[in-house]
Every structure is written in C-alpha cells, then in structure tokens.
C-alpha cells in the first residue's frame, strides 16, 4: 500500500532507517558475542557476570565443597589428636611406627574404595545418593574412633577399624563429588574451568584449617576431664557439617548425564534448564540434552571398559599422566605435613599449644593461596604452576633439612624460626602447585566416556602415595632426623623436568580438543558421527526436538 509523500516523510524514513540500522547492529553484536562465548554464563545476557544461572553454578560448587570440607577436617583434626595427651594415654603412648600405621591405614580404606566401591556406587545410586552413602559410612567410621575404649589393644582396634571405614566412605565421597561436579566442569567455559575445580579443593583446605583450629581450641580445656576426652570432642565436630551435607543433598539436582544413562530424560532436561536459566534458550537446552544422549549412546556402542585405558594408546597416555600427577602430589611430602605438622613444630622448639596455633595459621593461609590459585590457574596455565610449586617446595625442604644439621638440638632459635617460616613457604608452593592443579589437570584430559574411571584410578595411585608417605615420615624423622627432608626434596626436583617434558599445557583448550595433545582419537567420536548421520533426514520437519538414539529415533515430537 503506497503512501503519498509529505513533509514528514523524510523524517519518518530517516527514523525507520535509523531503527533498522540499530537493530542490525544489535543483532550483529549478539551474533558476535554468541560466536565468541557460545557457552559462557559470564558473558551472556549483555555481559552480566552474575546471572541467575552463574549464581546457581557457584552455589552448586560451594555446596559440593562441603563434602570436601569434611574430608579435610578429618585429616586436619587427626594431626591434633595424635599429639593429644588423652589419645596417647588411651593407646598407651603409641610409638612412631604405630602412629604411622594409624595414619596410613585410612588410605588403605580410600584405595579399596576407589578400586571396588566408589565408582559402582556412583553409577548405580547416582552421584547424589552415592555422596549420601559415602557420608554415612564416614560418620560410622568416625563414631568408632570417637568411642574407642577398653584395653590398649581394644582401643587401637576400634581406631584402626574406624579409620578404614572412614577411608572407604571418604573414597566414595571424593569420587561422587567430583563426578557430581563434573557436570559443571564440562559445561564451564574453558577459560574459567579451572576455577570451578579449584573451588572444590578450597573446601578441603578450609576443612583442614578448621581441624587444626578445633584442636588448638581444645588445648584450653585443660582440666582433668578435658585432658581425657577433648580429643573425642574434636573428632565429633565433623558430625555437624556432615548433618548439613546430608540434609541438603536431597534438594540438589542429580547429574544430567547419570539421569540420561538411566532413562530419566525429563528430569535431565529440568536440571539443565535450572542451571541454564537466563543465558540458554529452550532449543539450546534441548540441543545440549541431545548431545548428552548421543554421548551416552556412543559410549554404549564402543563397549569401553576400564581395561580400555590400558589397551588404547591415547587413553593410556592420559591415564598414566593423571595417575603419576596424583602420586607425585602425595610423594612431595604434603600428606605428611598435614598429619605431622604439630609434631614438626614441636621438634623446632614450639610448645604443644603454639604448635597447634601455628598449624591453624598455616592451614588458614592455604585457603588464601588456593583462592589466589583459583584466579591465576586459567591465566598462567597448569604446567607452570606445577613447576613453580615444586621448585618452591624443594627449596623449602632444603632449608628445613639443612639448618637443624648445622644447629642441632635447637641450639639456635633464629634457625628454628627460619624453619617454621619455610614450612609456611612450602605450603604456599603446594597450594599453588600440586594441591589444586593435579585435580584440575586430571579432570579435563579424559574423554567424557571414561573420565570417571580415569579419575578413580588416578586417585587410587594418590592413595598409594599417601600410604607410603604417612608410614615413612614418622619412622624417618625418628631414625634420620631432618635428613628425611632431603628425600622429599629430591622427589620435588625430579618432578620439575618430568612435568615440563611429559605434561602438555591444557590451559584454555576445550575438552573436545584434548586429542590434539595426547594423540589418537576419542574412541567415542566415530560412533557419535555414525549416530548423528541420520539427523539430517528430517530437517524439514520444523523445530521439533531431536530425539535420543537411546530411544530408537532421531526426532521426537
């Protein structure tokens, strides 16, 4: 329909052209942003950094970190329990080898759990229910330790059995929580992925620090009653965060991948929608759900089993690196520092109470170091942080091994204080190196189909390292004194060229691009292509949702 030209025509035409051009620029900007950050919750919605979805993702990770907090607390509080007079009296003053056994036996439980219980529980029960079972088993183990009584042999037996059971429960938690969190890791933008994994490690360090502070606080309960039972109360504190974790888990959404694997497609879509609100459209959520369904179907087609990590060259290249990194993360001496730190400070001339205070300060500083690492690991890379951390730890161990030889029997107060300072510097190196980076690296190099199995195997190798270190350290200190530091110094020095030569940098790489670094190909890729070939047949069917290969069709009305 034509309109006669009039005086206002030029103005109206200009206004229309301006609005059209503005719309084109807006659309172009939106398209450009979607190209650059197609799955970045921090850059969607006009660049808003904290959308409702991103807040939910961070809250999700913080809650899961509570599970790691309890694990860290049980580690930290044992350091104060081992030197508590009431605990020593109950066990008739255990010697160095027996203290090492009590500490190391815990990791026998985690090792057994990693190999036989953790992954089957997570697969059959789901990540959420597996975490609940793991926490319940851990509480049973803690209760046995709290209630240890009777003769020295009976009390020791209850402590050891309780430690093994708690280790089994912790193994289930430390597997199901990363698997639960794996969903966040997989959908997180590659340049922010390390942040979410480090957040879980911060929970562990916060628990570690809390264990030391509770142990320090119990030193003020110095009445006769306190000297007898304070260590039991220290262990019992872990039941409080465990209660909140167990109460909160039923309100969490289960892992979308596990839901798809068990045919709960609608629940998986609801979960995806919950964590996508504000930056994904419904069609994009359907597309992502289709990707998960194809991934699950492709895994079933390939028939991969745990032995595939040894038979497939590309998978083996990833598996041995992740396992070695976890092993080195324990053999660097950090596990011994966690358990025997108060005893180390006492050997440097500090009193019992001041030793626990120093341990609490050291563990609290680790939280700050890990928060710093959370922001820099995606900037400087995984390999550089690992190398720098190992160098710092090696130098710190050199100082702590040398000064007591030059000034034996605490003959120089300045030398003793210097050793205390370098214990703190050692912790800085670990908190910005092996501590978080080993978990970040292992969580991102495996293909989705075998990531859970790869992480479980790597964690079991870390448990072996923990058993070795916690058994060697007290015996080595008793027999060799400060010379034992040189053993762990050498391990850190050897780690530097190993990491630099054999561990390629993964910073900023999409999970799908890891094959470029480790050779071969993702064994699921070919089957995914085969499954996807049929999707183009009905492209003219309109915007109906693509169906699941699991359900036998590629389009679902």
């Amino acid at each position: 329909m034509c309109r006669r030209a009039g005086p206002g025509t030029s103005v109206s035409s200009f206004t229309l052209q301006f609005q059209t051009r503005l719309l084109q620029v807006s659309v172009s900007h939106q398209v450009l942003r979607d190209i650059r950050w197609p799955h970045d919750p921090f850059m969607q919605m006009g660049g808003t950094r904290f959308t409702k979805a991103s807040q939910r993702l961070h809250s999700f990770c913080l809650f899961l970190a509570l599970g790691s907090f309890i694990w860290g607390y049980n580690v930290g509080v044992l350091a104060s329990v081992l030197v508590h007079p009431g605990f020593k009296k109950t066990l008739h003053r255990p010697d160095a080898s027996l203290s090492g056994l009590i500490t190391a036996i815990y990791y026998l439980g985690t090792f057994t759990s990693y190999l036989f219980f953790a992954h089957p529980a997570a697969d059959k029960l789901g990540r959420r229910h597996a975490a609940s079972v793991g926490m319940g088993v851990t509480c049973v183990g803690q209760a046995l330790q709290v209630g240890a009584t009777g003769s020295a042999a009976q009390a020791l037996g209850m402590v050891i059995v309780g430690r093994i059971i708690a280790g089994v429960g912790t193994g289930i938690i430390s597997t199901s929580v990363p698997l639960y969190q794996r969903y966040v890791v997989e959908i997180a933008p590659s340049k922010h992925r390390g942040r979410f994994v480090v957040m879980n490690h911060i929970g562990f360090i916060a628990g570690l620090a809390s264990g030391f502070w509770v142990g320090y606080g119990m030193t003020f309960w110095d009445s006769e009653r306190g000297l007898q039972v304070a260590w039991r109360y220290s262990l019992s504190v872990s039941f409080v965060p465990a209660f909140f974790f167990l109460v909160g888990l039923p309100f969490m959404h289960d892992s979308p991948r596990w839901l798809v694997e068990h045919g709960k497609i609608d629940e998986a879509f609801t979960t995806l929608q919950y964590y996508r609100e504000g930056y994904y459209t419904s069609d994009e959520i359907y597309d992502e759900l289709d990707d998960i369904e194809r991934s699950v179907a492709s895994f079933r087609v390939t028939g991969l089993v745990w032995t595939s990590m040894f038979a497939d060259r590309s998978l083996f290249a990833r598996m041995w690196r992740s396992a070695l990194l976890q092993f080195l993360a324990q053999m660097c001496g950090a596990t011994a520092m966690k358990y025997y730190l108060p005893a180390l400070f006492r050997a440097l001339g500090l009193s019992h109470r001041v030793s626990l205070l120093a341990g609490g300060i050291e563990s609290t500083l680790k939280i700050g170091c890990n928060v710093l690492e959370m922001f820099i690991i995606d900037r400087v890379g995984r390999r550089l942080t690992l190398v720098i951390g190992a160098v710092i730890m090696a130098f710190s161990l050199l100082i702590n091994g040398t000064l007591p030889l030059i000034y034996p029997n605490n003959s120089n107060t300045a030398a003793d204080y210097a050793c205390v300072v370098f214990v703190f510097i050692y912790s800085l190196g670990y908190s910005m190196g092996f501590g978080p980076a080993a978990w970040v690296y292992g969580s991102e190099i495996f293909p989705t189909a075998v990531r859970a199995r790869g992480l479980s195997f790597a964690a079991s190798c870390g448990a072996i390292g923990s058993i070795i270190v916690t058994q060697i350290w007290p015996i080595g200190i008793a027999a060799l004194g400060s010379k034992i530091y040189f053993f762990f110094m050498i391990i850190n020095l050897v780690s530097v060229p190993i990491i630099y030569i054999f561990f390629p940098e993964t910073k900023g790489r999409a999970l799908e691009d890891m094959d470029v670094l480790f050779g071969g190909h993702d064994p699921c890729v070919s089957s995914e292509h085969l499954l996807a070939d049929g999707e183009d047949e009905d492209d003219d069917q309109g915007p109906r949702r693509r169906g699941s290969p699991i359900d036998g069709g590629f389009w679902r009305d």
Side-chain angles (χ1 to χ4, degrees), residues 294 298 301 524-535 549 554:
R294 282 196 301 273
S298 65
V301 169
C524 297
V525 170
S526 59
S527 58
E528 287 178 0
H529 285 314
L530 290 174
L531 290 168
D533 284 343
E535 292 184 7
F554 288 97

Side-chain angles (χ1 to χ4, degrees), residues 12 19 33 109 175 243 269 288 359 421 453 467 544 546:
S12 300
Q19 292 174 342
R33 183 167 66 244
T175 298
F243 171 78
F269 175 76
E288 184 177 4
V421 170
R453 291 161 177 80
I467 292 173
R544 291 180 296 171
R546 283 177 294 179

Side-chain angles (χ1 to χ4, degrees), residues 349-372:
L350 302 182
S351 66
H352 172 67
R353 180 174 295 170
V354 174
S355 296
L356 292 174
L357 174 63
I361 296 173
E362 184 262 357
S363 300
T364 303
L365 290 177
K366 280 183 179 179
I367 300 176
C369 294
N370 277 268
V371 172
L372 178 62

Side-chain angles (χ1 to χ4, degrees), residues 171-486:
I172 297 174
I173 295 172
S174 60
T175 298
S176 58
V177 166
L179 288 178
Y180 207 173
Q181 192 186 39
R182 184 184 69 176
Y183 164 60
V184 179
V185 174
E186 288 174 354
I187 61 94
S190 57
K191 65 178 182 178
H192 297 300
R193 187 171 57 235
R195 178 192 303 177
F196 288 102
V197 181
V198 173
M199 194 181 298
N200 190 58
H201 187 71
I202 290 175
F204 174 83
I205 299 300
L208 188 71
S210 299
F212 275 105
W213 284 117
V214 169
Y216 170 70
M218 289 298 174
T219 62
F220 292 94
W221 190 6
D222 53 5
S223 64
E224 183 178 352
R225 173 70 173 170
L227 292 175
Q228 292 177 354
V229 301
W231 66 274
R232 301 182 191 272
Y233 282 86
S234 297
L235 291 173
S236 300
V237 170
S238 64
F239 296 136
V240 177
F243 171 78
F244 287 106
F245 188 71
L246 289 171
V247 169
L249 274 174
F251 297 96
M252 303 296 291
H253 293 266
D254 218 324
S255 162
R257 182 179 178 88
W258 183 86
L259 291 171
V260 169
E261 287 174 346
H262 290 76
K264 302 179 180 181
I265 308 301
D266 292 337
E267 292 184 40
F269 175 76
T270 301
T271 301
L272 287 171
Q273 192 174 40
Y274 180 79
Y275 289 110
R276 295 294 188 273
E277 182 178 349
Y279 66 92
Y280 268 30
T281 66
S282 293
D283 289 339
E284 289 173 323
I285 296 173
Y286 279 129
D287 288 340
E288 184 177 4
L289 183 58
D290 286 338
D291 290 339
I292 295 176
E293 290 178 301
R294 282 196 301 273
S295 175
V296 172
S298 65
F299 173 70
R300 293 174 179 174
V301 169
T302 58
L304 287 175
V305 293
W306 68 272
T307 55
S308 301
M309 289 188 294
F310 298 90
D312 185 276
R313 180 176 298 179
S314 175
L315 294 180
F316 182 73
R318 309 173 199 220
M319 186 270 293
W320 74 258
R321 284 175 170 86
S322 180
L324 178 61
L325 206 56
Q326 288 289 345
F327 183 75
L328 292 175
Q330 307 307 320
M331 291 299 296
C332 69
T335 302
M337 289 288 189
K338 296 170 189 173
Y339 284 110
Y340 305 120
L341 192 58
L344 296 178
F345 283 144
R346 293 200 66 178
L348 294 172
L350 302 182
S351 66
H352 172 67
R353 180 174 295 170
V354 174
S355 296
L356 292 174
L357 174 63
I361 296 173
E362 184 262 357
S363 300
T364 303
L365 290 177
K366 280 183 179 179
I367 300 176
C369 294
N370 277 268
V371 172
L372 178 62
E373 173 75 351
M374 187 173 72
F375 291 102
I376 69 173
I377 191 170
D378 289 315
R379 293 179 179 271
V380 303
R382 287 61 161 143
R383 186 168 64 173
L384 183 59
T385 57
L386 285 166
V387 168
I388 293 177
V391 171
I392 292 174
M393 288 189 291
F395 183 71
S396 301
L397 291 168
L398 174 64
I399 298 299
N400 275 271
T402 302
L403 287 181
L405 294 178
I406 299 175
Y407 303 103
N409 301 320
N410 307 111
S411 58
N412 189 300
T413 303
D416 290 339
Y417 285 158
C419 288
V420 172
V421 170
F422 275 95
V423 168
F424 282 72
I425 295 175
Y426 173 92
S427 298
L428 170 66
Y430 182 77
S431 299
M432 300 186 69
F434 278 120
W439 288 101
V440 173
Y441 199 90
S443 69
E444 61 188 2
I445 64 174
F446 287 105
T448 301
V450 295
R451 184 171 292 122
R453 291 161 177 80
L455 284 174
S456 293
F457 186 85
S460 67
C461 291
I464 293 174
S466 296
I467 292 173
I468 295 173
V469 171
T470 51
Q471 189 66 53
I472 286 179
W473 188 280
I475 298 175
I477 286 289
L480 302 176
S482 67
K483 294 178 183 178
I484 190 64
Y485 285 100
F486 298 138

Side-chain angles (χ1 to χ4, degrees), residues 22-298:
L22 186 63
L23 178 62
Q24 291 174 343
V25 171
S26 177
V27 172
S28 298
H29 178 70
Q30 178 66 36
V31 171
L32 178 61
R33 183 167 66 244
D34 289 344
I35 291 174
R36 294 180 62 187
W37 303 288
H39 302 294
D40 193 336
F42 304 101
M43 300 307 298
Q44 295 285 349
M45 298 303 294
T48 303
R49 291 191 62 83
F50 288 102
T51 62
K52 183 181 292 186
S54 67
Q55 291 174 13
R56 288 171 177 172
L57 287 174
H58 281 85
S59 300
F60 180 74
C61 283
L62 285 174
F63 178 79
L64 293 181
L66 184 60
S68 298
F69 175 92
I70 297 164
W71 178 16
Y73 179 85
N74 290 337
V75 171
V77 78
L78 185 69
S80 65
V81 168
L82 288 173
V83 296
H84 192 275
F87 180 79
K88 291 182 176 180
K89 182 178 180 180
T90 301
L91 299 187
H92 289 205
R93 300 194 174 278
D95 56 16
S97 60
L98 190 56
S99 296
L101 174 64
I102 293 171
T103 306
I105 204 70
Y106 177 81
Y107 291 100
L108 176 62
T110 60
F111 175 76
T112 304
S113 182
Y114 287 139
L115 289 185
F116 302 109
F117 303 121
H119 189 75
D123 278 348
K124 294 180 179 180
L125 302 177
R127 299 10 173 172
R128 179 176 53 175
H129 296 301
S132 298
V133 171
M135 187 59 67
V137 173
T138 300
C139 289
V140 170
Q142 287 294 103
L144 282 173
Q145 296 173 66
V146 170
T149 187
S151 65
Q154 291 173 332
L156 176 63
M158 291 183 69
V159 169
I160 289 179
V161 172
R163 292 280 294 167
I164 294 175
I165 293 176
V168 172
T170 299
I172 297 174
I173 295 172
S174 60
T175 298
S176 58
V177 166
L179 288 178
Y180 207 173
Q181 192 186 39
R182 184 184 69 176
Y183 164 60
V184 179
V185 174
E186 288 174 354
I187 61 94
S190 57
K191 65 178 182 178
H192 297 300
R193 187 171 57 235
R195 178 192 303 177
F196 288 102
V197 181
V198 173
M199 194 181 298
N200 190 58
H201 187 71
I202 290 175
F204 174 83
I205 299 300
L208 188 71
S210 299
F212 275 105
W213 284 117
V214 169
Y216 170 70
M218 289 298 174
T219 62
F220 292 94
W221 190 6
D222 53 5
S223 64
E224 183 178 352
R225 173 70 173 170
L227 292 175
Q228 292 177 354
V229 301
W231 66 274
R232 301 182 191 272
Y233 282 86
S234 297
L235 291 173
S236 300
V237 170
S238 64
F239 296 136
V240 177
F243 171 78
F244 287 106
F245 188 71
L246 289 171
V247 169
L249 274 174
F251 297 96
M252 303 296 291
H253 293 266
D254 218 324
S255 162
R257 182 179 178 88
W258 183 86
L259 291 171
V260 169
E261 287 174 346
H262 290 76
K264 302 179 180 181
I265 308 301
D266 292 337
E267 292 184 40
F269 175 76
T270 301
T271 301
L272 287 171
Q273 192 174 40
Y274 180 79
Y275 289 110
R276 295 294 188 273
E277 182 178 349
Y279 66 92
Y280 268 30
T281 66
S282 293
D283 289 339
E284 289 173 323
I285 296 173
Y286 279 129
D287 288 340
E288 184 177 4
L289 183 58
D290 286 338
D291 290 339
I292 295 176
E293 290 178 301
R294 282 196 301 273
S295 175
V296 172
S298 65

